Amino acid sequence: MLLVLSEEQREHLGCLPRLGAAAVGELGRLAVELLRRGGAPRALEAAARKLDVSVDTIQHGIEGLTYLLTESSKLMISETDFQDSVHVLGFSDELNKLLLQLYLDNRKEIRSILSELAPKLPSYHNLEWRLDVQLASRSLRQQIKPAVTIKLHLNQNGDQTAQVLQTDPSTLLHLIQQLEQALGEMKTNHCRRIVRNMK
């Protein structure tokens, strides 16, 4: 699977050949640091002074490298696919090898950083339900009023929580239809592609 870069990302990566191999190694280190700890303006300024270029050039180079490394790591692109993706940029063989080595050295760490950044959503544990039917009341002798009570048990970060929901059967049937429609939508090629890119 090849990585597709937009024009803006190509422009950001376009400054790399002018900077040289040593500078690209430094920018790669800063890109991984940016993922680990967040933005550091002082580090950008120090790198700009050290390499004798503008801060904007350093920032664009780091943004381009960050995108290249994170997307490649997220999609678990193979070595040959990564080389083909970078080859389109028209860099020298030395720079392509340097970028490949940077990717191979850091892809496991980048994947672990990205997994830590992913939101921790609650997961299903158990479901209890009860059907209540009110057949009559003091004022109405013949009345049929059904209600479905659902107790949903969820796990979140090792803690168990319970949500109690109550609805009438027609609303529950509508909810079931909507969920079945959503599951059917997940089987389309478009949704499969999105889910594959999210992993």
Side-chain angles (χ1 to χ4, degrees):
M1 169 187 239
L2 291 178
L3 187 64
V4 179
L5 300 170
S6 69
E7 278 302 316
E8 182 183 15
Q9 290 150 355
R10 287 178 187 220
E11 284 178 23
H12 289 325
L13 290 168
C15 69
L16 298 181
R18 294 189 307 258
L19 296 175
V24 171
E26 179 69 18
L27 289 181
R29 187 188 64 74
L30 285 173
V32 174
E33 268 314 298
L34 175 77
L35 286 172
R36 262 192 231 124
R37 298 198 179 106
R42 290 183 182 161
L44 294 178
E45 292 170 4
R49 278 194 307 274
K50 181 178 176 183
L51 301 172
D52 197 30
V53 292
S54 69
V55 176
D56 286 341
T57 305
I58 296 294
Q59 185 171 359
H60 290 317
I62 289 175
E63 287 172 2
L65 278 174
T66 303
Y67 178 81
L68 182 70
L69 294 173
T70 54
E71 289 301 309
S72 300
S73 299
K74 194 187 310 181
L75 299 173
M76 287 299 290
I77 291 179
S78 66
E79 290 182 36
T80 55
D81 286 343
F82 184 84
Q83 286 176 325
D84 291 342
S85 299
V86 174
H87 184 72
V88 173
L89 297 171
F91 295 159
S92 66
D93 288 341
E94 179 188 359
L95 186 55
N96 287 347
K97 287 178 184 174
L98 183 64
L99 290 173
L100 175 65
Q101 193 59 45
L102 189 65
Y103 167 62
L104 294 176
D105 291 345
N106 295 302
R107 71 176 165 189
K108 288 182 182 173
E109 182 180 1
I110 291 171
R111 280 188 68 81
S112 69
I113 291 169
L114 292 176
S115 68
E116 290 171 10
L117 295 176
K120 304 287 189 261
L121 300 174
S123 61
Y124 170 83
H125 178 70
N126 195 11
L127 178 80
E128 299 174 34
W129 64 275
R130 184 179 74 220
L131 177 64
D132 295 324
V133 180
Q134 183 177 352
L135 297 174
S137 66
R138 283 187 193 169
S139 58
L140 292 171
R141 291 184 187 246
Q142 293 202 356
Q143 168 191 19
I144 298 178
K145 188 177 175 186
V148 179
T149 305
I150 301 169
K151 188 172 186 181
L152 182 63
H153 298 272
L154 302 171
N155 288 333
Q156 186 169 17
N157 299 331
D159 297 331
Q160 280 195 357
T161 59
Q163 301 289 330
V164 178
L165 312 164
Q166 188 170 23
T167 184
D168 59 298
S170 61
T171 306
L172 184 61
L173 285 174
H174 178 69
L175 179 65
I176 290 169
Q177 289 172 348
Q178 292 296 311
L179 289 172
E180 285 175 347
Q181 184 180 354
L183 283 173
E185 184 75 24
M186 284 300 296
K187 294 179 182 174
T188 63
N189 288 336
H190 179 68
C191 286
R192 285 182 181 168
R193 194 175 314 122
I194 290 171
V195 169
R196 186 172 52 239
N197 288 334
M198 287 174 59
K199 289 181 180 178

